[in-house]
Amino acid sequence: MKGFKWMALLLLWLTAAGSALAQSPRQTILVIGDSLSAEYGLARDTGWVSLLARRLADLSRTAAGQKAGTAPRTEGQYSVVNASISGETTSGGRTRLPTLLQQHRPAIVVLQLGANDGLRGLPLSTLRDNLQAMIAASRAAGARVLLVGMRIPPNFGRDYTERFHDTFAQLAREKNTAYVPFLLEGFAADMALFQADRIHPNERAQVRILENVWPSLRPLLG
């Protein structure tokens, strides 16, 4: 009888623990970016943001199947909202961000913007001001921030090109944000991983993008 009671209590505890894990509130990762995150030219759900969502879902299933008595993994307790728009600039993102923050109440905001500012030769002071404002707004809403850096071709001269890239690094240091130095690190010169326009990464490159983002994103997940 004592053994039966012990087993019953154990089963009850396991059921409650599993239920608590299953019912734990999922937090949101908001990705606000441009065509590099908006699956431009790709089949739906094949871009790096979709791959991120699948990775987190896999981690969630792994956490649900953990043995009793182990600490739950928090990486999987997230959903992903992709608010990226092809052609978006930092000015457009800054305008849209307050509504997105209010609507989704994210725990983490991934800022992947700036490429279109650079390709259009827009003032770097505007790039900086917009990114800085988005970092501040995200933090005021209670979100952690991951800033994603970018490089551009030297269409507007080497000085502009270098200062463009440095703007992201400087902001990350000054604002103490998590930082990805370059979204396309390691394959930017490999045209086999780009679409015919030679600007947008193809489907094969999306996992490479995710692997560039993941090391900086994962510590924010808890």
Side-chain angles (χ1 to χ4, degrees):
M1 182 64 70
K2 288 183 178 180
F4 175 78
K5 288 182 178 179
W6 182 86
M7 288 296 295
L9 288 171
L10 178 60
L11 287 172
L12 181 63
W13 184 87
L14 289 172
T15 300
S19 177
L21 180 60
Q23 295 176 11
S24 60
R26 295 179 67 81
Q27 300 182 83
T28 298
I29 298 173
L30 174 66
V31 180
I32 179 165
D34 51 38
S35 57
L36 297 174
S37 298
E39 296 187 332
Y40 177 89
L42 302 175
R44 186 168 181 176
D45 296 330
T46 60
W48 76 266
V49 180
S50 295
L51 297 182
L52 171 62
R54 287 206 288 275
R55 177 172 292 186
L56 293 168
D58 289 343
L59 288 170
S60 182
R61 285 189 289 271
T62 300
Q66 283 184 323
K67 293 182 180 179
T70 61
R73 295 175 62 176
T74 57
E75 297 100 320
Q77 299 172 16
Y78 287 86
S79 58
V80 180
V81 172
N82 191 355
S84 303
I85 297 177
S86 294
E88 185 73 289
T89 62
T90 57
S91 293
R94 180 177 180 175
T95 299
R96 290 194 297 125
L97 184 59
T99 299
L100 292 169
L101 292 172
Q102 184 176 25
Q103 180 180 356
H104 300 291
R105 302 186 183 280
I108 298 171
V109 174
V110 179
L111 296 176
Q112 184 278 296
L113 285 171
N116 289 307
D117 297 58
L119 291 175
R120 300 175 189 181
L122 299 180
L124 296 180
S125 58
T126 301
L127 171 73
R128 179 185 174 85
D129 288 348
N130 287 334
L131 290 174
Q132 185 169 263
M134 284 188 280
I135 291 170
S138 298
R139 285 179 166 169
R144 300 179 291 280
V145 177
L146 173 60
L147 180 63
V148 180
M150 195 61 195
R151 292 187 180 276
I152 56 171
N155 297 2
F156 297 97
R158 183 170 181 175
D159 179 66
Y160 180 90
T161 300
E162 291 303 318
R163 289 192 296 114
F164 170 83
H165 179 66
D166 289 346
T167 297
F168 296 92
Q170 290 167 3
L171 264 179
R173 287 194 301 270
E174 292 172 12
K175 302 304 176 182
N176 195 28
T177 69
Y179 177 52
V180 177
F182 181 28
L183 188 66
L184 311 183
E185 185 67 51
F187 70 92
D190 185 356
M191 289 300 105
L193 294 176
F194 284 79
Q195 299 177 41
D197 62 11
R198 302 171 68 88
I199 295 175
H200 295 93
N202 60 28
E203 186 173 329
R204 290 171 52 205
Q206 299 306 306
V207 68
R208 299 281 296 271
I209 296 176
L210 177 57
E211 294 308 326
N212 285 337
V213 172
W214 184 249
S216 298
L217 175 62
R218 187 168 188 173
L220 301 182
L221 302 178

